[in-house]
Amino acid sequence: MGVVSEKKVGSKPFELLLDQASIAKRVSELGKEITADYRGKHPVLLGVLKGCIIFLADLMRAINLSAELELVSASSYRKGKKQETDVLLASAVSIPLKDRHILIVEGVVDSGRTVSALSKELKKMEPASIEVVTLIDKPASHRRKLQIRYKGFTLRNDFVIGYGLDNTQKYRNLPFIGRMVDE
Ligand code: IMP
Ligand code: MG
């Protein structure tokens, strides 16, 4: 054990924010809450790649329902010369979502643009409901009004890594969540 140190990742130090046990406990609680809320329904868990993957894998095993799994890929890109970014949804969902209960599964909600853009697209498919579960919410960063039904943890604006979340595609495999610290 102890393959991955919580003290140092490569040469990048970070501050440990959420250890494995805390994450596991919270994910289990979220699974129970979702199970109770969707009892008798067959929700579609719609994961937003890539940041959702570890959270989704753990969360879906904590949900005791007959649920389906779908994945979409979303990425932010710079729009023109301004700081403003836009969201590109790379793939359409491959099953019809009309009258389905959709639960969007996100790793982190920051500005909220991804969740907003995705919800807008999904609404066109006339689902029965759309809700969001995110492991991490950063409410101080929201740039629009958002309805997030299930939140694992609420954090400040810090950029965090691990448990599926990356910094330039690295650190997703860390089993815990840390805040990047500038050297
Ligand atoms: P949005 O600003 O809510 O649309 O989030 C856009 C995307 O930025 C998220 O899906 C993540 O991929 C990424 N992101 C935002 N904050 C963080 C963070 O703290 N760590 C890693 N990725 C982040
Ligand atoms: Mg990223």
Side-chain angles (χ1 to χ4, degrees), residues 48-52 74-76 85 87 106-116 136 138 141-143 146 155-162 164-167 172 178 180:
V48 185
L49 293 171
K50 303 175 194 167
C52 75
S75 47
S76 307
T85 54
V87 175
E106 255 286 19
V108 53
V109 175
D110 187 43
S111 71
R113 286 192 189 95
T114 306
V115 160
S116 288
I136 289 169
K138 299 198 224 167
S141 300
H142 291 185
R143 298 286 294 273
L146 295 176
L155 298 179
R156 296 179 302 161
N157 282 352
D158 298 319
F159 197 85
V160 293
I161 51 162
L165 303 179
D166 74 307
N167 182 18
R172 292 192 199 273
M180 297 293 293

Side-chain angles (χ1 to χ4, degrees), residues 73-92:
S73 186
S75 47
S76 307
Y77 65 95
R78 279 266 144 81
K79 212 173 158 187
K81 290 195 178 99
K82 288 182 283 178
Q83 279 292 91
E84 189 73 353
T85 54
D86 211 339
V87 175
L88 191 67
L89 299 173
S91 59

